[in-house]
Amino acid sequence: MGKGEQTRAMILAQVAPLFNQQGYSGSSLSDIMRQTGLEKGGIYNHFKSKEQLALQAFDYSYALLDQRIRAVLADKKHALERLYALLSYFQDLADDPPVPGGCPILNTAIESDDAEPALRDRARAAMDQLRSTFRRIISKGIEREELRPGIDVETWTSAMIAALEGAVMLSRLYQDTSHMSRTVAYLRHCIERDLT
């Protein structure tokens, strides 16, 4: 990796937590300069605009989330094991997020809803991938007869993600991960009761 690429990677690693904690609108150029230790020209030498920097910082943050998801699912074959692994992933996200500030998908989706369409589209694409992961696990579980037939895959996908992302928000808002712990325990109970 060349010096320019190293600087670019350093900028993303330094700015991703800033955007995740303060948001795009709440992060000024002065904040970005303070966070990176670079002057304006040093930043814009690698990124043509604050929006481009924010989009790539989101991609950086999402890649860290995606790595964790892949890691927790890597050795799990059975649908129940995979669903429980995703619950553990969300518990870890509340306890020790890969990027300070909580879930970048949730944070970006809320902030960018109407104000920043490019960021909203990025958050939506990331959420689509997460939804696809849940959907695929449940669908394959039904096909392999690991989960009971007749499950409404879309409802379960939406309900689980809504509950888990809501628990991320509550855990961040109250600085208390017991919200996530209770949600994970409840979803585990629902999975055992309704999916097997």
Side-chain angles (χ1 to χ4, degrees):
M1 184 183 298
K3 184 170 171 50
E5 292 170 329
Q6 287 177 343
T7 301
R8 185 179 180 83
M10 179 278 296
I11 292 170
L12 290 173
Q14 294 293 318
V15 172
L18 178 70
F19 283 133
N20 201 40
Q21 292 173 306
Q22 293 181 200
Y24 174 79
S25 298
S27 299
S28 68
L29 182 56
S30 296
D31 293 330
I32 294 168
M33 290 167 42
R34 187 173 29 263
Q35 189 79 8
T36 62
L38 297 173
E39 297 296 320
K40 181 178 178 180
I43 295 164
Y44 287 126
N45 188 40
H46 298 280
F47 301 93
K48 67 180 182 180
S49 66
K50 181 181 169 188
E51 180 182 45
Q52 182 192 38
L53 176 57
L55 290 169
Q56 291 188 21
F58 176 81
D59 291 345
Y60 171 87
S61 296
Y62 178 69
L64 295 177
L65 294 179
D66 192 51
Q67 287 172 6
R68 278 199 184 178
I69 290 171
R70 290 176 189 276
V72 301
L73 294 176
D75 61 341
K76 310 295 187 288
K77 302 298 179 213
H78 193 281
L80 287 176
E81 287 180 310
R82 293 174 68 80
L83 288 172
Y84 295 152
L86 286 174
L87 295 180
S88 294
Y89 157 79
F90 273 94
Q91 182 68 62
D92 292 344
L93 182 60
D95 293 334
D96 181 30
V99 180
C103 179
I105 301 171
L106 175 65
N107 294 345
T108 303
I110 290 169
E111 183 196 19
S112 67
D113 183 31
D114 293 322
E116 300 299 329
L119 276 170
R120 180 191 60 228
D121 291 346
R122 223 40 158 258
R124 184 180 293 155
M127 183 57 74
D128 286 345
Q129 288 183 356
L130 183 59
R131 292 181 66 212
S132 178
T133 299
F134 275 89
R135 193 181 298 117
R136 186 173 49 255
I137 290 168
I138 296 169
S139 295
K140 284 186 178 180
I142 295 167
E143 289 172 23
R144 294 178 183 158
E145 297 181 355
E146 296 166 348
L147 302 177
R148 69 175 178 78
I151 295 167
D152 184 337
V153 176
E154 290 302 319
T155 297
W156 268 93
T157 297
S158 294
M160 288 185 71
I161 292 174
L164 292 164
E165 289 288 1
V168 169
M169 184 272 301
L170 288 170
S171 295
R172 294 285 308 153
L173 182 63
Y174 291 102
Q175 296 295 296
D176 179 0
T177 60
S178 69
H179 298 284
M180 180 60 76
S181 299
R182 286 192 293 270
T183 300
V184 165
Y186 179 73
L187 287 173
R188 181 178 272 272
H189 168 74
C190 290
I191 289 168
E192 291 168 0
R193 181 191 67 205
D194 298 334
L195 297 188
T196 59

